[in-house]
Amino acid sequence: MLFAEQGADLVLTGRRAALGEIVEAECRQKGVRCVFVEADQTKLEDCQRVVETALKEFNCIDILFNNAGIVTNGTAETTSEDVWQDTLNINVTAVWRMCKLVIPQMKQQGKGAIVNNGSDCPWWRGQTPSRMW
């Protein structure tokens, strides 16, 4: 929403179409052009489709804000291989993949910025610091 409030045209992605469409509408209410693309960032073809959509709609990509991520509970002892791989796929590989896809376009444009966001707040998940450990 901050990008929309600052007047940036946007391409939004996510796996939950209903939520994405709500955010898209809210951004448009702020007077910016906005496109939601349902995409799973763990899938190369979805990431490629997002970049293609951005270029088709706006002819450039000035900012990539990587914000997709998952937070899981557990320790090294209790986390399964599947959960660990899912975490790496979305929190690391997807970030790398989106950067890899947009950097050539930004180089061609002669400008661009990439912001990789990572955060975890246990209170969002109903935990207190004493229960985290």
Side-chain angles (χ1 to χ4, degrees), residues 81-125:
E81 289 286 330
D82 288 342
V83 168
W84 179 250
Q85 198 58 56
D86 289 345
T87 303
L88 288 176
N89 285 342
I90 193 68
N91 294 359
V92 179
T93 304
V95 171
W96 164 79
R97 182 176 289 133
M98 289 301 295
C99 290
K100 184 174 179 155
L101 289 169
V102 303
I103 287 171
Q105 178 62 33
M106 290 179 172
K107 282 183 171 181
Q108 182 180 354
Q109 295 168 187
K111 65 177 183 170
I114 297 174
V115 178
N116 296 320
N117 185 54
S119 63
D120 177 23
C121 182
W123 299 278
W124 294 346
R125 297 189 318 259

